[in-house]
């Protein structure tokens, strides 16, 4: 995929606070990284600064062409903040309100004042057409082209900036949606059009309509942003390449991203999951729990068999962070990411039931009490300061002065006194509640997907991940914690490493016994040629493509599906029987006893093509980690001792391959501190990664 | 743990115990959530997988609720009492029990209850139990016209379903012979067994991790913390007596629910008196006491402490008087199939009664309960067919915000997608849209109801029962807000009277439902 002459590749992740970049030169030529503040008024400025910084470090001229892979929070932020475009939504007449009715669920039946998401398309921009496709794809009412033309004129005058078309049963018969696009393109050539059967090919009109409308909602924004970014990064260099990371961890072209920007919604986190995946691989483990804890939230995702679990239903933009059902659910392929709890800035409080943490966050302003920026309420970070986990200047290269007394005061007043606890006990209560919340969520998440989390290694990232990983691992019964190099810019590392990817889905509901092999072959032939075209367009040679074909199956009547691989090389040798037996085996392993007597039905056929991966060769990374030869000790609280122990404080730069240190120990680097208690032993593996073995 | 709690509700708590107690409590709730997720994924029943119509409870050895999931309906909170009464010291570690007793379970026989005892060595320490609405239980289909429970389907007395992995085939044989969809029902029951087994094994891991041999300490912690918390909240409600009354028009003739709440302003429980509510009915809308109690518990919890994880001690917040022989405490064998008609009105009515005491928590009446369309006939392939789908009216506005449009309340059910319904039912929808302006007026508007219209397709007739409500009694506003519009049902353009809600439909017939809006809050600001 290295299509520039220099072969230099760069991953750039634009987050809410920081823009991170990692640059890798080919053939062991070097690894550089940069972290600068995001420029919210125009994020391309911050990205250009990061690239400039990286080029400077590597001794490259600003005009030199490089290949940039980009991850962004622009799409998710635009949806959360409702700053997207005016979208005209075209539906079957009588179903204009589907997007507002939703599924009619109440996520908190005990709270009549619970907030719900507002519709991203207002009622006056929803338009019904007199047309109707039946459940089986037959046409009940044909499309009236004159009506479509009249509607195009109306939309043209409505001030709409993008159009979404979502007709009932378009999955079964897409001709009406396609014809509408032809007419709209002719009459409204400037408006981007999203069709539901292409953007979210699922049966269930609300979810499909919402996903399609959300795609249209962010399309004008991304159509303007991506070319601007391209110009800003590459200047006039013709051969400079810009590609995007999508939510399922695939690298896609700008053109694809402009057509389907909704796929970018979890683009940054997908990068983080891939960083964890490659860290696991370098350590020899293909089962990884990616655990990212930032300032406001903690997220987790599983990697199994060396691949991230992928979900086709993603809930985003929750009104209440900890309440499933309070957000918007999109039907796109995404790393199977879940919110597991609070972040470092989350505020702790007490009520009659005990200590609670989050979801309210002190954010970066006023921030944790110990930052001395005016915050008076105790946060998770303040608890870590009182417990000795975070030293007085161990955040952001010492750019923030931590005042432990401010943390103690806040915890004493708001937690210790009302709970009749000592300050230390109160601080540990906050830490323990947070660790419990996260470990419970991870355990439930793994069990729901039929995995035993104890077989996995935990890879913490973000400022809070390494601080909490030891406690979370002990609660989970996970034996290994792995901290990769450059964990502070993990998303950028993952973005840089992921393969180009294209995928196709063909929904097909029905008894698998009624499916013929010829039918499957034809289906996969069409999908394969589409995927191939897309990947070749990204500069991948056909022979370099690796394929994953699978079918989603379920027992008739069940809602949960199980994905089973299909042997593409030789489907004939395969046979439907083999697929059925494979399903029963996976079902027994992941879900439960086979349901005798129930038919097995297909839900959808999937095909994924991937280009080569670019796993980071980080042991080349000559650390600019801090170094300090004087031996330091800090008192830190550990539950094993029910009190404080003397913990050695080591700078990460002083740890070299082969080093072995027994806990308690605190390993500091610029972005975080790795906390290891007395039940842990630290070694550094050959890839320069920190490996913590945790005793049960 | 060495917590000491005093009768007056104050507590001396040994420091860190309070934290470990809370951690273990959280863990129990998380385990129940996992059980809920397993049940939802494995079940076949539309109402379980799409509408969350199930519940789970973890009980101690005395049958008191320790924990429930956050994301399900009420579980069979009293079922431990029945198992202990009937089996007592005959309970064995590998038993799996089953029943659908409406008076001990969750109020109607469509909810099948599965119970697993939990043993540590030779001692019974508790139970894991679930209740889930199965796809079919025989008898009449969602019909108000049953005169007794005998018409509503097969009754399963509390009995062993499994001894270890050995099924009691007699039970399954009876079920097979009495339900329309035996394979589906068996799948639903197996899903419950799997969920409970997961919970039991998680309990064992948790207890051994903490070195406990039973639930004594954690139970004491949960119950004491809850009692102290509930007492504190009760003190904040002023002394007084408040009354609320409402006609329930989902049945013909309408019946009455009446609530009187008395409180002395102290930590003492609220006195809830349902005297004045209609006598028990010979129609299937009776709400057995177990579920009346639950409706009151849910309403009070939502009023004083939404975040309290439900448990046995939460009942300490109220004492309930529901006269025997009324619609809220019917005598066996009263029919109870559509008990939600009373349940889903009782809960919001109790809230509106309580909000007289604390006006800043006032909420206008919702357009509840949801409407059910039940169909029996043949699917498009000509196979026998029975299924139903839901839709909801608008919710009431509160002192803080507009009521939501078309939403499930006081339970979290969902609609089914038009595309899913049309591929199962021999019908085609003509419309599903918001019924604009049907919410009551006010400073905050009531939520709008919705309009649903469908035509019968195919070549065969289709028997259809419409379970409607608020077609004559509007959802009233609060603090000067306007009432929501009442609902109406039409067949081929002609409005249906309450006694015409069951119809044999012919192909081409068009049914239209106009669902009620919720009440508004406060005088109009214009």
């Amino acid at each position: 995929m290295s299509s520039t002459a220099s072969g230099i590749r760069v991953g750039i992740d634009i987050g809410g606070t920081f823009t991170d970049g990692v640059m890798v030169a080919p053939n062991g030529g070097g690894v550089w990284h940069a972290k600068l503040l995001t420029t919210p008024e125009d994020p391309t400025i911050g990205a250009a600064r990061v690239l400039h910084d990286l080029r400077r470090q590597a001794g490259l001229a600003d005009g030199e062409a490089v290949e940039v892979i980009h991850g962004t929070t622009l799409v998710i932020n635009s949806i959360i903040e409702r700053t997207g475009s005016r979208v005209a939504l075209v539906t079957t007449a009588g179903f204009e309100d589907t997007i507002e009715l939703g599924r009619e669920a109440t996520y908190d039946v005990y709270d009549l004042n619970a907030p719900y998401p507002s519709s991203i398309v207002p009622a006056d921009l929803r338009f019904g057409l007199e047309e109707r496709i039946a459940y089986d794809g037959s046409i009940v009412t044909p499309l009236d082209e004159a009506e479509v033309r009249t509607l195009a004129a109306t939309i043209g005058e409505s001030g709409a900036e993008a159009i979404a078309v979502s007709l009932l049963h378009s999955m079964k018969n897409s001709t009406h949606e396609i014809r509408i696009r032809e007419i709209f393109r002719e009459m409204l050539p400037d408006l981007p059009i999203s069709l539901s059967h292409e953007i979210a090919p699922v049966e269930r009109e609300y979810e499909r309509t919402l996903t399609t409308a959300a795609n249209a909602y962010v399309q004008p924004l991304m159509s303007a942003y991506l070319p601007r970014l391209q110009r800003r990064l590459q200047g006039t260099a013709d051969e400079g390449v810009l590609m995007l990371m999508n939510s399922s961890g695939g690298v896609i072209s700008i053109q694809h991203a402009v057509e389907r920007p909704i796929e970018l919604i979890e683009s940054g986190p997908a990068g983080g999951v891939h960083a964890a995946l490659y860290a696991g691989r370098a350590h020899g483990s293909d089962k990884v729990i990616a655990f990212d804890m930032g300032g406001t939230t903690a997220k987790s995702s599983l990697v199994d068999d060396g691949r991230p679990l992928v979900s086709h239903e993603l809930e985003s933009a929750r009104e209440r962070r900890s309440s499933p059902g309070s957000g918007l659910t999109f039907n796109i392929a995404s790393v199977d990411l879940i919110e597991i709890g609070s972040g470092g800035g989350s505020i702790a409080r007490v009520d009659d039931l005990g200590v609670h943490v989050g979801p309210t966050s002190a954010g970066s302003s006023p921030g944790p009490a110990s930052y001395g920026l005016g915050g008076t309420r105790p946060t998770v970070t303040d608890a870590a300061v009182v417990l000795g986990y975070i030293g007085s200047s161990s955040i952001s290269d010492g750019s923030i002065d931590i005042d432990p007394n401010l943390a103690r005061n806040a915890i004493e007043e708001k937690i210790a006194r009302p709970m009749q606890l000592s300050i230390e006990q109160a601080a540990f209560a906050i830490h323990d509640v947070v660790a419990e919340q996260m470990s419970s969520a991870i355990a439930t998440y793994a069990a729901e997907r039929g995995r035993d989390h104890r077989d996995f290694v935990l890879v913490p990232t973000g400022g809070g991940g390494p601080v909490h990983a030891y406690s979370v691992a002990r609660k989970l019964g996970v034996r290994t914690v792995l901290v990769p190099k450059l964990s502070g810019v993990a998303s950028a590392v993952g973005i840089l490493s992921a393969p180009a990817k294209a995928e196709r889905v063909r929904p097909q509901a029905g008894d698998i016994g009624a499916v013929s092999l010829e039918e499957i072959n034809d289906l996969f032939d069409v999908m394969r040629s589409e995927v191939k075209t897309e990947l070749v367009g990204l500069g991948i040679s056909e022979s370099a493509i690796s394929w994953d074909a699978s079918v989603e199956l379920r027992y008739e009547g069940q809602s949960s599906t199980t994905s089973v691989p299909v042997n593409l090389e030789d489907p004939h040798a395969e046979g439907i029987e083999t697929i059925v037996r494979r399903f029963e085996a996976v079902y027994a392993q992941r879900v439960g006893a086979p349901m005798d007597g129930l038919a097995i039905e297909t839900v959808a056929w999937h095909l994924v093509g991937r280009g080569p991966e670019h796993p980071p060769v980080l042991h080349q990374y000559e650390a600019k980690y801090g170094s300090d030869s004087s031996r330091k000790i800090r008192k830190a609280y550990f539950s094993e001792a029910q009190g404080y122990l003397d913990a050695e404080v080591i700078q990460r730069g002083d740890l070299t391959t082969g080093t072995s240190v027994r806990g308690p120990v605190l390993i500091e680097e610029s972005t975080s501190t790795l906390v290891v208690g007395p039940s842990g032993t630290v070694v550094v593996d050959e890839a320069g990664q920190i490996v913590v073995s945790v005793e049960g | 743990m060495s917590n000491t709690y005093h009768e007056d509700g104050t507590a001396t708590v040994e420091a860190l115990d309070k934290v470990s107690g809370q951690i273990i409590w959280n863990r129990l709730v998380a385990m129940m959530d996992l059980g809920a997720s397993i049940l939802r994924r494995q079940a076949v029943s539309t109402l379980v997988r799409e509408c969350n119509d199930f519940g789970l409870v973890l009980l101690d050895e005395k049958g008191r609720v320790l924990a429930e999931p956050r994301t399900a309906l009420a579980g069979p909170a009293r079922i431990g009492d029945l198992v202990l009464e009937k089996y007592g010291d005959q309970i064995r570690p590998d038993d799996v029990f089953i029943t659908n007793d409406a008076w001990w379970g969750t109020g109607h026989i469509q909810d099948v209850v599965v119970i697993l005892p939990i043993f540590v060595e030779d001692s019974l320490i508790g139970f894991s139990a679930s209740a889930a609405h199965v796809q079919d239980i025989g008898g009449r289909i969602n019909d108000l016209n049953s005169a007794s429970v005998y018409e509503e389907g097969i009754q399963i007395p509390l009995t062993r379903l499994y001894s270890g992995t050995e099924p009691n085939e007699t039970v399954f044989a009876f079920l097979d012979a009495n339900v329309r969809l035996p394979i589906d029902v068996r799948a639903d029951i197996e899903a419950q067994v799997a969920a409970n087994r997961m919970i039991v094994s998680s309990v064992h891991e948790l207890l051994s991790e903490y070195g406990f041999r039973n639930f004594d300490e954690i139970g004491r912690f949960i119950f004491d913390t809850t009692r102290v918390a509930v007492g504190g909240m009760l003190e904040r409600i002023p002394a007084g007596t408040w009354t609320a009354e409402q006609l329930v028009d989902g049945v013909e003739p309408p019946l009455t629910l009446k609530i009187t709440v008395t409180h002395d302003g102290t930590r003492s429980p609220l006195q809830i008196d349902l005297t004045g509510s209609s006598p028990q009915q010979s129609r299937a809308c009776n709400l057995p006491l177990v579920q009346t109690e639950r409706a009151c518990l849910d309403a009070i919890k939502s009023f004083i402490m939404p975040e309290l994880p439900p448990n046995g001690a939460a009942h300490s917040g109220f004492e309930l008087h529901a006269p025997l022989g009324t619609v809220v405490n019917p005598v066996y064998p009263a029919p109870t199939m559509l008990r939600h008609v009373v349940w889903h009105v009782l809960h919001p009515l109790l809230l509106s009664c309580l909000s007289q005491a604390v006006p800043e928590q006032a909420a206008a009446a919702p357009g509840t309960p949801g409407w059910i369309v039940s169909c029996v006939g043949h699917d498009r392939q000509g196979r026998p067919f029975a299924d139903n789908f839901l839709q909801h009216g608008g919710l009431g506005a509160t002192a803080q915000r507009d009521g939501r449009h078309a939403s499930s309340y006081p339970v979290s059910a969902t609609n089914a997608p038009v595309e899913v319904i049309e591929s199962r039912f021999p019908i085609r929808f003509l419309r599903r849209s918001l019924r604009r302006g049907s919410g009551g007026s006010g400073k905050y508007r009531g939520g709008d109801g919705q309009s649903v219209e469908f035509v019968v397709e195919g070549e065969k007739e289709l028997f259809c029962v419409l379970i409607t409500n608020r077609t004559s009694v509007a959802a009233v506003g609060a603090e000067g807000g306007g009432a929501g519009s009442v609902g109406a049902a039409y067949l081929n353009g002609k409005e249906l009277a309450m006694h015409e809600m069951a119809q044999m439909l012919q192909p081409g017939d068009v049914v239209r439902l106009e669902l009620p809006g919720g009440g508004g809050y406060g005088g109009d600001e214009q």
Side-chain angles (χ1 to χ4, degrees), chain A residues 45 142 357 491 645 673:
Chain A
I45 296 172
V357 179
S491 283
L645 297 174
T673 301

Side-chain angles (χ1 to χ4, degrees), chain A residues 204-492:
Chain A
R204 287 188 176 205
E205 68 277 7
Y206 164 65
E207 290 82 354
R208 190 173 70 247
T209 302
L210 175 63
T211 309
T212 308
N215 192 68
Y217 187 68
V218 294
Q219 215 167 7
L221 169 77
M222 296 309 282
S223 314
Y225 166 78
L226 290 171
R228 191 168 74 239
L229 180 66
Q230 165 94 332
R231 280 193 305 277
R232 182 91 72 183
L233 296 182
Q234 310 289 8
T236 52
D238 289 340
E239 38 156 359
V241 175
L242 176 63
M243 287 186 284
L244 280 299
M245 178 79 167
N246 75 7
S247 302
S248 70
V251 172
I252 58 174
S253 67
I254 290 192
Q255 186 200 348
H256 182 121
V258 166
E259 280 168 18
R260 302 185 177 206
I262 192 67
E263 286 185 15
L264 302 177
I265 191 163
E266 293 290 359
S267 139
V273 174
H274 278 74
L277 181 159
Y278 293 113
R281 188 182 291 174
H283 179 69
S285 174
D286 66 354
K287 292 179 186 296
V288 175
I289 302 167
F291 163 45
D292 181 74
M293 185 174 176
T296 53
T297 175
K299 292 186 172 187
S300 186
S301 189
L302 288 190
V303 171
D304 196 7
D305 290 333
R307 292 231 184 274
L309 299 194
V310 170
S311 158
H312 292 267
E313 259 185 22
L314 174 74
E315 187 183 353
S316 280
R318 283 186 185 161
E319 294 292 316
R320 279 197 181 154
R321 190 167 288 124
S322 53
S323 300
S326 68
L328 298 171
T329 297
F330 301 115
N331 280 124
I332 57 157
S334 166
V335 289
D336 192 1
L337 196 70
I338 58 151
E339 186 101 18
I340 55 169
S342 304
S346 297
I347 291 168
R349 65 194 158 84
V350 168
D351 68 11
D352 293 339
L353 298 174
V355 179
H356 304 271
V357 179
T360 312
S361 169
S364 52
S365 174
S370 54
Y371 285 13
L373 302 171
T376 55
R377 294 192 287 175
T379 63
V380 173
T381 296
D382 294 315
V385 168
V386 170
L387 296 172
Y389 300 156
I390 296 178
S392 29
S393 65
S394 49
I395 286 179
S396 296
D397 296 310
S399 56
I400 291 167
D401 280 331
I402 303 240
D403 184 343
N405 286 325
L406 294 174
R408 293 181 68 84
N409 293 346
I411 289 175
E412 179 177 21
E413 186 193 339
K414 298 289 197 315
I415 310 291
R417 223 177 281 153
M419 289 280 285
Q420 300 165 26
L421 298 173
S422 71
I423 296 174
E424 293 74 20
Q425 287 167 335
F428 187 72
I430 296 171
H431 177 80
D432 206 27
V433 163
V434 170
E436 178 66 26
Q437 189 184 30
M438 297 191 292
S439 59
S440 280
I442 291 171
T444 302
Y445 163 79
E448 282 178 354
R449 285 143 183 90
R451 267 65 169 198
D452 186 340
H453 56 265
R454 289 168 297 196
D455 304 339
F456 287 64
V457 303
L458 186 68
V459 179
T461 54
V467 178
H468 290 81
Y470 173 76
S471 299
V472 169
R474 288 194 74 222
K475 283 175 182 287
L476 283 171
V478 163
R479 294 308 180 89
T480 307
V481 175
L482 189 60
V483 187
K485 280 199 166 179
L486 292 182
S487 66
V489 289
S491 283

Side-chain angles (χ1 to χ4, degrees), chain A residues 93-98 100-116 123 126 132-135 140-141 167-172 202-208 324 349 351-356 418-422 425 428-430 432-434 436 439-441 443-445 447-450 454 474-475 554-562 587 590-593 595-598 637 642, chain B residues 11-13 15-16 18-19 22-23 25-27 30 33-34 37-38 40-45 49-50 183-184 187 190-191 198 205 209-210 221 225-226 228-229 232-233 236 294 298 301-303 305-310 347 351 363 380-381 383 390-392 395 398-401 404-420 422-424 428-436 450 457:
Chain A
F95 301 89
E96 297 86 348
D97 292 334
T98 295
E100 188 168 354
L101 276 164
R103 298 295 302 277
E104 304 177 22
T106 300
Y107 70 86
D108 185 346
V109 295
Y110 296 113
D111 185 358
L112 284 169
N113 292 308
Y116 283 80
R126 301 177 205 152
R132 188 64 149 89
I133 312 275
Y135 73 101
V140 181
T141 308
L167 306 179
L168 281 177
H169 296 297
S170 65
M171 285 308 309
K172 302 281 174 58
V202 289
E203 182 186 48
R204 287 188 176 205
E205 68 277 7
Y206 164 65
E207 290 82 354
R208 190 173 70 247
R349 65 194 158 84
D351 68 11
D352 293 339
L353 298 174
V355 179
H356 304 271
M419 289 280 285
Q420 300 165 26
L421 298 173
S422 71
Q425 287 167 335
F428 187 72
I430 296 171
D432 206 27
V433 163
V434 170
E436 178 66 26
S439 59
S440 280
T444 302
Y445 163 79
E448 282 178 354
R449 285 143 183 90
R454 289 168 297 196
R474 288 194 74 222
K475 283 175 182 287
R554 67 180 171 204
Y555 283 112
E556 185 182 10
Q558 284 186 336
S559 57
S560 68
T561 61
T562 299
Y587 187 90
R590 301 254 166 85
V591 187
M595 298 279 183
D596 292 334
L598 288 182
Y637 189 104
Q642 303 251 333
Chain B
T12 9
V13 183
L16 269 183
K18 204 164 176 176
V19 176
Q22 190 191 345
I23 296 280
W25 190 359
N26 291 351
R27 183 89 59 91
D33 280 342
L34 176 56
S37 149
I38 287 174
R40 192 183 297 112
R41 290 169 65 213
Q42 286 197 39
V44 168
S45 159
R49 64 191 176 89
E50 299 286 346
I183 293 170
D184 295 38
E190 296 295 356
M198 166 65 92
E205 279 179 30
E209 181 183 334
Y210 282 89
F221 178 85
T225 307
T226 301
V228 171
M233 295 308 296
R236 292 173 216 177
R294 182 59 195 227
D298 283 350
K301 174 169 139 55
S302 122
F303 194 74
M305 198 167 275
E307 66 279 13
L308 175 72
H347 173 136
L351 272 181
R380 295 177 195 270
Q381 285 74 41
R383 297 174 300 200
L390 294 174
Q391 39 269 305
H392 303 92
L395 300 190
T398 72
Q400 292 176 36
R401 60 179 69 218
R404 283 186 74 209
H405 301 319
S407 297
S408 169
Y409 188 77
V411 296
S412 182
T414 66
N415 63 22
V418 163
E419 292 178 344
V420 170
E422 289 185 351
S423 61
R424 290 182 78 132
R428 177 167 49 83
F429 285 81
L430 303 174
R431 156 179 299 277
R432 186 193 260 178
S433 58
L434 284 172
R435 189 181 167 208
R436 304 255 173 220
Q450 60 180 308
E457 296 196 317

Side-chain angles (χ1 to χ4, degrees), chain A residues 11-88:
Chain A
I12 294 183
D13 176 42
I14 305 184
T17 312
F18 290 107
T19 298
D20 297 340
V22 173
M23 178 186 268
V24 177
N27 308 318
V31 180
W32 302 272
H33 87 284
K35 191 181 205 59
L36 295 172
L37 284 172
T38 294
T39 50
E41 68 286 355
D42 181 355
T44 65
I45 296 172
R49 283 180 191 154
V50 164
L51 185 58
H52 173 77
D53 187 333
L54 291 170
R55 279 173 162 144
R56 187 184 49 75
Q57 291 181 44
L60 296 177
D62 265 347
E64 184 145 359
V66 292
E67 180 176 333
V68 178
I69 323 288
H70 175 40
T72 174
T73 50
L74 222 51
V75 169
I76 180 84
N77 286 346
S78 172
I79 291 172
I80 290 174
E81 293 158 13
R82 295 292 194 275
T83 53
S85 304
R86 279 174 65 78
V87 173

Side-chain angles (χ1 to χ4, degrees), chain B residues 143-182:
Chain B
D143 185 351
L144 272 167
N145 294 317
S146 300
S148 79
V149 69
Y150 298 107
E151 296 177 37
E152 301 190 303
I154 180 171
Q155 297 182 60
I156 313 167
L158 181 71
T159 184
R160 284 195 173 91
L161 180 68
Y162 280 94
S163 297
T165 53
E166 204 52 47
N168 181 346
E169 289 297 348
T170 311
V171 175
F172 285 112
F174 270 93
L175 277 172
D176 286 355
N178 280 280
V179 304
R180 294 173 185 84
L181 302 162

